[in-house]
Amino acid sequence: MRILTLILAAILTMAATPPVPDALKPYIKGDRFDPGDYGWMKGRFADASPKEKAQAAAIQAWVMACYASDLAEMRAELRALGITDPKMNNTIIRNPLCAQVASAPDVTHWRTFDAFQRSVEKAAPLADTYLLAVNTAKASSGSRTSDLHDLLVARPVAEQMLRYAMDWGGGDMADAPRVSDDVRAVILSRISIIAAVEDHRNGEWLKSLIAEKGWPKQSEVGEAGAAAAWLLAQHADADPALQLRVLRAMEPLLATGEVAKDNYAYLYDRIMLKITGKQRYGTQAMCAEGKRTAQPLEDSGSVDLRRAEVGLPPLANYIAMMDAHSGSCSAPS
């Protein structure tokens, strides 16, 4: 065990994240990133000066180094949990600061920085108002007791509001103010920055909870409390080792009814797609050639049997429900 620990430490040391680029430092306070005037993005536009382009390149290199560092760390943690060859499909940046910077808008919406700034001016009041509502809801819903059920139920409120907002203009956010695509891109970027912080904090909180009390059982925290704990784990995508530990903690509790079977199925698919590239229950979908379909399956022939075992409808019905809610996938242009 000591040898394994030393090897893990060496890997993590070699993959250390480089220092924050100078151009970003004015926008960083502790673990929080405020895009501010977006001056750090000037180098991404065609009309940028050589100096601005060099700054943008340094920021991009820093973000990529963050991702490489995080990926090495995730692989090492999963190997320590017995996963010999983690595929690490669709992984996201773990470092919360890097994740916030990486949430910047895609500049393909604009030809110049000035045009981008005009979109920012239109988007900022909408984004700031929504984020204020998120903070207000989080504060007002916070548990006033130390009861674990209450703490768990209150915890996902903010991250759920932030995730709803990612459908701005459609789905559950169909009534959001109508905006152009470029303004929507800025709004979603601002929301994604806060979501990265919220997910990181929730994951750290959940890890501390499990270390102290173990996985919350339905008999201990009720169905709502257990579902909230699962939701935090389901969205801890930047920490696949945590998701795997939760999955393993949930598995022996299935037979006793202490965890919901469908919750287990969703988390199984989410983590296994990352580390093996395949899912069992078909809960994770994708768009392919203009059609929504399940991501790769362990056994397509038995998927509906597996789904029935955990109380899920047949896969075809599930895909149809997703299409009805979110709209059919657009055919590639």
Side-chain angles (χ1 to χ4, degrees):
M1 179 59 72
R2 176 171 172 75
I3 293 175
L4 178 60
T5 302
L6 291 173
I7 293 173
L8 176 59
I11 292 173
L12 298 186
T13 300
M14 287 188 296
T17 304
V20 174
D22 289 340
L24 282 180
K25 289 180 180 178
Y27 304 91
I28 292 172
K29 300 292 185 292
D31 67 342
R32 293 296 298 272
F33 169 72
D34 183 347
D37 61 6
Y38 286 92
W40 54 278
M41 280 187 61
K42 285 184 177 180
R44 301 187 182 188
F45 296 89
D47 59 343
S49 68
K51 180 180 178 180
E52 289 165 345
K53 290 181 179 180
Q55 289 175 335
I59 292 170
Q60 181 64 18
W62 175 73
V63 170
M64 295 305 295
C66 279
Y67 180 68
S69 171
D70 290 347
L71 197 60
E73 185 176 322
M74 293 175 196
R75 287 184 185 277
E77 290 171 351
L78 288 169
R79 288 188 180 112
L81 290 172
I83 306 299
T84 57
D85 182 26
K87 304 298 183 186
M88 306 309 295
N89 295 320
N90 299 318
T91 52
I92 62 175
I93 296 175
R94 168 183 291 179
N95 183 302
L97 200 54
C98 295
Q100 291 171 72
V101 175
S103 298
D106 180 357
V107 299
T108 56
H109 290 281
W110 305 274
R111 294 185 63 186
T112 66
F113 181 72
D114 286 344
F116 169 64
Q117 284 290 79
R118 289 193 289 272
S119 298
V120 170
E121 290 172 3
K122 294 176 183 178
L126 294 171
D128 290 346
T129 300
Y130 191 85
L131 292 174
L132 176 62
V134 171
N135 286 335
T136 302
K138 183 177 180 179
S140 62
S141 64
S143 176
R144 301 297 185 264
T145 76
S146 60
D147 182 81
L148 185 53
H149 166 274
D150 296 343
L151 292 171
L152 284 166
V153 171
R155 193 80 195 185
V157 168
E159 66 101 340
Q160 283 293 279
M161 288 186 68
L162 293 166
R163 278 181 165 79
Y164 275 122
M166 300 311 291
D167 277 337
W168 193 282
D172 293 318
M173 289 288 290
D175 294 331
R178 296 292 175 183
V179 295
S180 58
D181 288 345
D182 56 308
V183 172
R184 182 177 183 271
V186 177
I187 293 172
L188 297 190
S189 169
R190 298 285 290 269
I191 290 170
S192 295
I193 288 172
I194 305 303
V197 176
E198 192 69 19
D199 284 346
H200 176 74
R201 291 178 176 173
N202 283 343
E204 293 302 301
W205 183 84
L206 186 62
K207 278 195 283 192
S208 297
L209 171 67
I210 295 171
E212 180 182 352
K213 300 179 181 295
W215 183 249
K217 301 174 183 176
Q218 288 193 11
S219 62
E220 298 169 342
V221 299
E223 290 186 12
W230 162 79
L231 191 63
L232 296 178
Q234 183 78 353
H235 291 160
D237 290 309
D239 197 343
L242 171 61
Q243 291 179 316
L244 182 59
R245 288 197 298 270
V246 169
L247 186 73
R248 290 175 174 178
M250 292 177 73
E251 188 168 8
L253 300 176
L254 287 170
T256 60
E258 290 285 12
V259 301
K261 291 181 179 179
D262 58 340
N263 286 355
Y264 173 83
Y266 274 88
L267 184 58
Y268 180 97
D269 284 357
R270 196 142 177 144
I271 183 60
M272 288 303 168
L273 276 169
K274 287 190 189 78
I275 62 180
T276 72
K278 293 185 178 181
Q279 60 177 332
R280 176 176 294 170
Y281 301 98
T283 63
Q284 308 298 303
M286 62 181 180
C287 290
E289 298 180 354
K291 182 179 179 181
R292 184 171 280 106
T293 185
Q295 293 190 43
L297 295 160
E298 294 175 356
D299 183 357
S300 58
S302 67
V303 64
D304 280 340
L305 175 62
R306 292 288 195 177
R307 290 178 64 85
E309 291 173 349
V310 294
L312 295 174
L315 183 57
N317 295 12
Y318 177 63
I319 296 294
M321 286 189 291
M322 293 182 71
D323 284 342
H325 179 268
S326 302
S328 299
C329 294
S330 299
S333 56

